[in-house]
Each structure stands twice: as structure tokens, then as C-alpha cells.
Amino acid sequence: EQIERHDPLVRCRAQLLAAGVTQATLDRIDQDIGARIEAAVTAARAATLPSMERAHAEVYTEAAHG
């Protein structure tokens, strides 16, 4: 109960309902978001892994010596 009181998603949903957004609209948004997440997960799992060089590109640099 305490966690829900501080959960920004729960609070936002309550504010939207209080502002007149219907439960059906929020449910459709939830379904759309769920479908987008599932599509992204499916695409990520189907993708080939990058080479080690590509995986480390722009992530790691040698410390500057000077």
C-alpha cells in the first residue's frame, strides 16, 4: 500500500482518471505499451550479437596519460 502511494505510474493513472480520462482509454494505452514492449523484446532476442569491437565502441576509452 505504501509503495503504491509513491509509485509515479499509479499516481499518474489516478490523476488521469480524476481529470476525466476513462478507464477504457487507460486500458487501451496499457495494451499498446505492452505490445510495443513485446515487439521490442522479440526484436532484441532475434538480433545478432555485435562483435566485441562494436560492443565496446564509444563505451570504453583508455585513460589519458599526460
Side-chain angles (χ1 to χ4, degrees):
E1 182 178 301
Q2 174 136 353
I3 292 173
E4 284 187 9
R5 214 174 33 215
H6 296 287
D7 184 331
L9 295 176
V10 172
R11 294 177 67 190
C12 182
R13 179 178 283 273
Q15 290 173 345
L16 289 169
L17 289 168
V21 177
T22 66
Q23 183 65 47
T25 298
L26 294 177
D27 290 343
R28 280 194 306 275
I29 292 169
D30 284 345
Q31 289 173 350
D32 180 54
I33 291 169
R36 289 176 186 222
I37 291 170
E38 280 298 319
V41 168
T42 299
R45 287 183 175 154
T48 58
L49 292 175
S51 66
M52 288 303 288
E53 293 80 20
R54 180 67 189 128
H56 287 230
E58 301 176 29
V59 175
Y60 174 80
T61 60
E62 293 291 329
H65 298 282

